[in-house]
Amino acid sequence: MMWDEKFETMSTDEMQAFQLAKLQETVSWVYEKIPFYTKKFDELGIKPGDVKELSDLGKLPFTVKHDLRDNYPFGLCAVPMKEVVRVHASSGTTGKPITGPYTADDLNQWTECMARNLTAAGVTSEDIVQNSYGLGLFTGGLGFQQGAERIGCAIIPASSGMTERQITLMKDFGTTVLFATPSYALTIAEKAKDLGVDLRELPVRIGVFGAEPWTMEMRREIEERIGIKAHEAFGLTELMGPGVAFDCSAQDGYLHINEDHVLAEIIDPVTEEVLPLGEKGELIFTAIQRRAMPMIRYRTRDITELKRETCSCGRTLLKMKKVLGRSDDMLIISGVNVFPSQIESILLDVPEVEPQYVLIIRKKGYLDALSVDVEARPEVYDLGEEKLHDVEKEIQSKIRGIIGIGVKVRCVPPKSIERSEGKAKRVFDARKM
Ligand code: DLL
């Protein structure tokens, strides 16, 4: 099912003509309205009229996270506050938050993007949806709320937290669709089990998850525990929030980008050179329809690759590979680049442990050492030290075999790792503590 067949199945030629017109409008808009961009363009000797074709995008300057921080809170906002109808913000991990102001039309477009996302996941006006993303400054809560409202679903704005109540709501209200981060979905599943509630027997049939990296193995685990089909949303505060990209019935490890709203490029993060389709690098987005805070070539730090094909679902929208890591999450252990998601894939294939883990990086002499704490399943933990030691050794050797690094694995007691209600924090850098 599609929400906006015209744009979701548009031919590449038609789409690119549309994109060029929107890009030209946006470039003139930011040049005129946002002194930060006027200055950047002038320094590079670029005038809005120089954008004559889509490939001219490559001439434009990048925008990076610290540009948003330096211009906090509204230095990059192109409209007066009387035209702003909403402001979201993301706390990030360090420093000042990133703000996201919207005009009424920006909100409307975001809502449309979310309606596409949810429709692709199979959500319809018949559904009773439980929105367990944090409702507030975080774009997840209200973004999903608006999209589901546009479709006409019955919405339970549960927000995140109070997990026991989430389960009561699911049971009492007959929730058919769950919105949450993947790690919170797991927390809900675990709590239900503790309470003796089998979620697989409830009417819930679809989950739409995102806001953090999660592997295919994690997707299967969640699907099994809740008895649902797990779909995906991708996005970031700087660009609108969720709804930038979404998966479809193909579930082939790729997401469709709403490319009539955001232009995507992949660059080599070191040389900043634009890479061809199919090559892996840093994802860059340009928002071409927003008016309060359009972004020119925003460096997301997310690592992925792009693919253009007509999907088996019928959509022609550009595809990006599921994001499994950010350049700033990459660990360098004994000279090997490691993403936490690679460890997650391995752990989820080990039946003796729970999908609850943390990675700790320490300094060992001049080198960095990685240790992995993972929870043993209660019945395994009860078997005692010798068994745990065998499991630890097995995981260590799998990690050595697959990723090629030596790590220290510890099987920790059940429930000893903090549960997530939003974005899970799984990497602790003891070198910085
Ligand atoms: O996380 C927006 C969102 C809310 C997306 C709900 C999906 C669902 P931020 O808090 O600004 O916005 O964080 C954006 O989160 O650059 C990625 O690194 C990561 N991220 C978001 N969605 C996914 C996903 C929201 N599906 C940052 N897979 C992005 C992997 C994701 N990473």
Side-chain angles (χ1 to χ4, degrees):
M1 262 191 319
M2 285 183 213
W3 178 257
D4 188 342
E5 206 167 324
K6 177 178 166 208
F7 280 101
E8 293 182 64
T9 62
M10 196 171 254
S11 72
T12 304
D13 284 351
E14 228 182 319
M15 177 61 82
Q16 291 183 341
F18 179 85
Q19 289 172 328
L20 177 61
K22 291 291 173 194
L23 175 65
Q24 287 169 330
E25 271 173 33
T26 300
V27 168
S28 302
W29 178 258
V30 300
Y31 186 75
E32 191 187 317
K33 306 277 183 184
I34 310 176
F36 166 84
Y37 282 118
T38 320
K39 185 162 167 264
K40 275 210 163 190
F41 281 49
D42 286 347
E43 276 166 9
L44 291 169
I46 303 166
K47 290 276 177 266
D50 295 340
V51 178
K52 296 196 171 67
E53 44 193 290
L54 276 182
S55 58
D56 291 330
L57 182 62
K59 296 179 185 161
L60 303 180
F62 292 108
T63 309
V64 295
K65 209 176 231 356
H66 74 74
D67 292 328
L68 280 97
R69 296 223 162 100
D70 294 348
N71 289 284
Y72 173 85
F74 301 125
L76 296 185
C77 185
V79 299
M81 284 316 268
K82 78 171 173 27
E83 285 174 38
V84 170
V85 298
R86 172 96 62 79
V87 181
H88 279 285
S90 91
S91 57
T93 38
T94 49
K96 286 182 185 146
I98 300 296
T99 52
Y102 305 73
T103 64
D105 191 50
D106 293 342
L107 269 194
N108 180 48
Q109 287 169 21
W110 179 25
T111 305
E112 285 292 306
C113 289
M114 275 312 301
R116 289 184 195 177
N117 191 151
L118 299 178
T119 304
V123 179
T124 72
S125 61
E126 309 267 314
D127 279 302
I128 301 173
V129 308
Q130 185 160 328
N131 185 2
S132 307
Y133 283 106
L135 278 158
L137 281 178
F138 177 50
T139 55
L142 283 163
F144 274 76
Q145 187 78 19
Q146 292 153 201
E149 260 168 29
R150 179 77 38 109
I151 291 174
C153 307
I155 308 163
I156 310 163
S159 195
S160 64
M162 300 219 264
T163 308
E164 198 167 329
R165 189 182 70 176
Q166 302 278 356
I167 294 149
T168 310
L169 291 171
M170 286 173 88
K171 269 197 324 196
D172 293 355
F173 293 3
T175 301
T176 58
V177 177
L178 178 66
F179 299 157
T181 59
S183 58
Y184 191 46
L186 209 54
T187 304
I188 294 176
E190 184 182 62
K191 186 71 165 184
K193 189 159 182 244
D194 290 350
L195 295 169
V197 176
D198 189 351
L199 294 179
R200 289 168 300 189
E201 286 173 0
L202 298 185
V204 64
R205 60 184 192 96
I206 295 172
V208 190
F209 305 126
E212 63 186 2
W214 53 314
T215 57
M216 289 298 213
E217 291 79 5
M218 184 65 95
R219 176 200 294 247
R220 275 198 295 277
E221 185 78 28
I222 295 172
E223 287 185 331
E224 238 165 68
R225 289 188 182 211
I226 313 188
I228 53 171
K229 187 105 210 89
H231 277 277
E232 174 149 6
F234 173 88
L236 49 160
T237 313
E238 297 86 325
L239 266 300
M240 70 169 94
V244 172
F246 56 95
D247 73 352
C248 60
S249 53
Q251 295 211 298
D252 56 358
Y254 281 83
L255 312 177
H256 288 288
I257 299 173
N258 277 318
E259 59 168 321
D260 49 328
H261 292 270
V262 288
L263 300 184
E265 301 167 272
I266 297 290
I267 63 161
D268 176 319
V270 179
T271 64
E272 299 189 337
E273 180 199 343
V274 178
L275 300 177
L277 289 176
E279 280 192 36
K280 192 156 128 188
E282 180 180 344
L283 180 62
I284 308 295
F285 280 131
T286 300
I288 52 172
Q289 295 212 44
R290 303 185 83 205
R291 281 302 166 260
M293 201 177 81
M295 281 282 115
I296 303 294
R297 304 191 84 201
Y298 184 67
R299 290 190 62 165
T300 66
R301 306 193 218 178
D302 292 317
I303 305 294
T304 184
E305 58 191 69
L306 303 175
K307 176 157 96 172
R308 188 171 287 289
E309 64 175 16
T310 302
C311 184
S312 61
C313 73
R315 288 179 183 79
T316 50
L317 293 172
L318 186 66
K319 286 174 141 186
M320 64 179 246
K321 208 168 194 169
K322 186 170 161 55
V323 169
L324 288 176
R326 298 163 57 89
S327 53
D328 26 359
D329 290 341
M330 192 179 80
L331 312 170
I332 304 177
I333 307 295
S334 326
V336 179
N337 299 346
V338 185
F339 283 101
S341 56
Q342 290 173 282
I343 309 264
E344 178 177 296
S345 292
I346 295 172
L347 295 176
L348 268 97
D349 270 341
V350 179
E352 290 91 349
V353 298
E354 291 285 337
Q356 301 288 352
Y357 65 93
V358 290
L359 310 183
I360 305 146
I361 315 153
R362 294 196 175 82
K363 201 107 209 124
K364 192 172 154 198
Y366 291 109
L367 297 175
D368 289 339
L370 178 64
S371 45
V372 178
D373 283 4
V374 60
E375 275 182 21
R377 294 205 188 248
E379 61 280 14
V380 175
Y381 196 76
D382 289 346
L383 295 175
E385 240 171 66
E386 208 174 312
K387 173 67 184 171
L388 296 178
H389 194 61
D390 287 347
V391 176
E392 288 164 353
K393 282 219 317 235
E394 185 201 330
I395 298 174
Q396 271 165 209
S397 89
K398 278 196 169 162
I399 294 176
R400 180 178 292 284
I402 297 170
I403 310 179
I405 53 167
V407 302
K408 172 143 189 53
V409 175
R410 274 199 319 163
C411 282
V412 297
K415 305 277 169 64
S416 59
I417 291 173
E418 195 184 334
R419 297 298 184 258
S420 157
E421 294 184 350
K423 297 186 190 240
K425 178 155 174 51
R426 294 203 175 98
V427 180
F428 294 87
D429 193 340
R431 294 167 308 183
K432 294 183 190 148
M433 287 174 182

